[in-house]
Amino acid sequence: MRELSQRYDYENSARFGGRLNAPVLVLSDAAGHLGRWHRASRRLELARRLVLERPWLEVESVLEHEMAHQFVDEVLGVHDETAHGETFRKVCAERGIDARAAGSPVPSGETTVGDAAAERALDRIRKLLALAGSSNQHEAEAAMRRAHELMLRHNIEVAAARTDRHYVLRHLGDPERRRTRVESDVAGLLSEFFFVKVIRVPVYLPRLGKSGTVYEIAGTHANVEMASHVFAFLLATAERLWAENRHDARVRSGRDRLVYQAGVIGGFRDKLLAERGDLKQTGLVWVGDRTLDAFYRARHPRITTRRRMVRVNGAHAAGREAGRTVVLHKPVERGASGAAPRLLR
């Protein structure tokens, strides 16, 4: 409850200009909803099972959703519309809150599938990545380049069409572990090449009574699926290459592990940059997704950046060489491995 109260205060300041008066926060055992704003008693309820059993992303999403209801009710004084009417949807859109998170449990089989064109593109990319796992290096490299081209072409066409797009969120990384430089490098690579926005955010672990951090990625369903796969693939690949090459003469000791693995990610980035340069010659130039940028800025109104020093030595150079040979492969499964139902859709 202390953590929820602090989160309420932060969201009130960041998203609502401090205009909300603190309600009575309640953990409810009611089975019919995950969150509820009750005007008469000024109670903002969250389901106990939500707070204790679901990822903190979902807890925060339901909290923000109910705060939007409170804002419409007490600050704007709008009482002649339906609960999720025009004013409520506008308040949510302006503040990066998902108005569709209706505070009701999501059926276990329900997932976000996105539009049909995006799903067809993702299916084709899955097939190409399966070919990229070929033992024939030439075939594997060609399949990866083709997958890269297809991803770029699809996203350029979608951005140019300026059609309405729905964005989804996902958290990556184990919140119980400290984030590493390697994870940070992979997160940056996702933002640069895989059409998602990435930020490191704090999360709370109520059963452990402690805080941690994870990477939050935002984008279309297809792009979030791809980025999630790339994140897991590159971390596993960096670990595998370290195990295979840790006896390289340029590696001085086990302390060079993270430096070597960061080099692997840097080498793979070099490869993607070269491919992107080749695709630019064909007229495929990515200029960004302004709609996603606006969604990201509304969701995170207070963003801070930090600079860090990068140690480059022989181990880093060895890792970079290995990274340039990495071929992204294996099909992207439908949904995150072992993922539970998500409230945000």
Side-chain angles (χ1 to χ4, degrees):
M1 293 301 294
R2 183 163 51 246
E3 186 72 20
L4 287 171
S5 178
Q6 291 174 356
R7 192 67 201 179
Y8 179 96
D9 291 342
Y10 172 83
E11 298 293 351
N12 185 20
S13 175
R15 299 186 194 278
F16 298 97
R19 298 173 69 185
L20 293 174
N21 292 321
V24 179
L25 291 174
V26 177
L27 291 185
S28 169
D29 291 317
H33 57 268
L34 298 181
R36 181 173 63 177
W37 162 249
H38 192 266
R39 180 194 308 171
S41 61
R42 301 200 69 255
R43 287 160 57 103
L44 195 159
E45 299 180 3
L46 296 179
R48 190 185 309 274
R49 59 192 173 86
L50 166 74
V51 174
L52 295 180
E53 298 173 8
R54 303 301 302 140
W56 197 249
L57 168 64
E58 296 181 15
V59 177
E60 290 181 347
S61 296
V62 175
L63 176 64
E64 294 163 2
H65 182 95
E66 302 310 326
M67 290 176 70
H69 278 302
Q70 182 191 358
F71 186 83
V72 172
D73 181 21
E74 294 193 332
V75 177
L76 301 184
V78 176
H79 303 132
D80 58 351
E81 297 181 6
T82 61
H84 298 95
E86 181 180 352
T87 301
F88 175 80
R89 293 195 299 271
K90 181 179 179 181
V91 167
C92 289
E94 291 174 346
R95 292 160 176 80
I97 299 171
D98 194 328
R100 295 162 296 167
S104 299
V106 178
S108 59
E110 188 170 335
T111 58
T112 303
V113 296
D115 61 84
E119 283 300 303
R120 286 195 297 270
L122 185 57
D123 283 340
R124 292 175 64 192
I125 292 168
R126 288 190 185 102
K127 294 174 182 177
L128 286 168
L129 291 181
L131 290 175
S134 170
S135 58
N136 182 313
Q137 184 70 15
H138 176 73
E139 183 181 68
E141 294 278 0
M144 177 180 159
R145 284 194 297 271
R146 177 59 180 145
H148 189 173
E149 178 184 357
L150 181 57
M151 283 185 283
L152 179 59
R153 186 182 300 278
H154 170 72
N155 279 278
I156 289 174
E157 291 173 352
V158 169
R162 297 185 179 181
T163 55
D164 290 338
R165 295 186 292 282
H166 296 308
Y167 299 113
V168 298
L169 307 169
R170 187 170 298 173
H171 281 177
L172 304 177
D174 183 351
E176 296 185 40
R177 298 177 58 184
R178 292 182 61 184
R179 304 276 68 83
T180 68
R181 167 187 170 179
V182 180
E183 289 179 315
S184 176
D185 288 348
V186 175
L189 186 144
L190 296 181
S191 180
E192 187 175 4
F193 294 102
F194 291 92
F195 315 104
V196 294
K197 302 294 288 187
V198 186
I199 187 170
R200 194 168 80 171
V201 297
V203 294
Y204 187 65
L205 305 170
R207 290 193 178 275
L208 298 178
K210 66 178 185 179
S211 299
T213 61
V214 294
Y215 290 103
E216 180 180 291
I217 60 175
T220 63
H221 171 258
N223 288 335
V224 166
E225 288 290 319
M226 175 59 65
S228 300
H229 171 72
V230 173
F231 185 81
F233 174 86
L234 288 180
L235 292 180
T237 298
E239 188 66 34
R240 174 180 61 81
L241 290 174
W242 163 252
E244 293 175 357
N245 301 303
R246 62 181 303 172
H247 299 300
D248 187 298
R250 290 168 290 183
V251 176
R252 293 175 296 181
S253 69
R255 294 182 179 180
D256 279 336
R257 172 173 164 267
L258 292 181
V259 177
Y260 177 91
Q261 292 183 352
V264 170
I265 306 307
F268 186 67
R269 179 178 179 274
D270 292 341
K271 187 173 188 174
L272 292 178
L273 277 173
E275 290 183 359
R276 187 64 65 90
D278 292 340
L279 292 172
K280 186 176 181 179
Q281 301 305 313
T282 68
L284 292 176
V285 180
W286 176 245
V287 296
D289 182 346
R290 292 183 179 180
T291 307
L292 177 58
D293 290 342
F295 173 83
Y296 172 75
R297 286 288 175 179
R299 176 160 176 78
H300 297 286
R302 297 178 179 177
I303 299 174
T304 59
T305 58
R306 297 178 180 177
R307 295 182 179 273
R308 58 181 176 81
M309 300 296 293
V310 177
R311 183 162 63 97
V312 178
N313 57 14
H316 188 275
R320 204 170 192 112
E321 287 180 12
R324 294 190 184 105
T325 69
V326 170
V327 177
L328 178 64
H329 63 87
K330 296 182 180 180
V332 181
E333 301 297 336
R334 290 185 179 274
S337 176
R342 292 186 296 276
L343 178 68
L344 283 185
R345 294 177 293 162

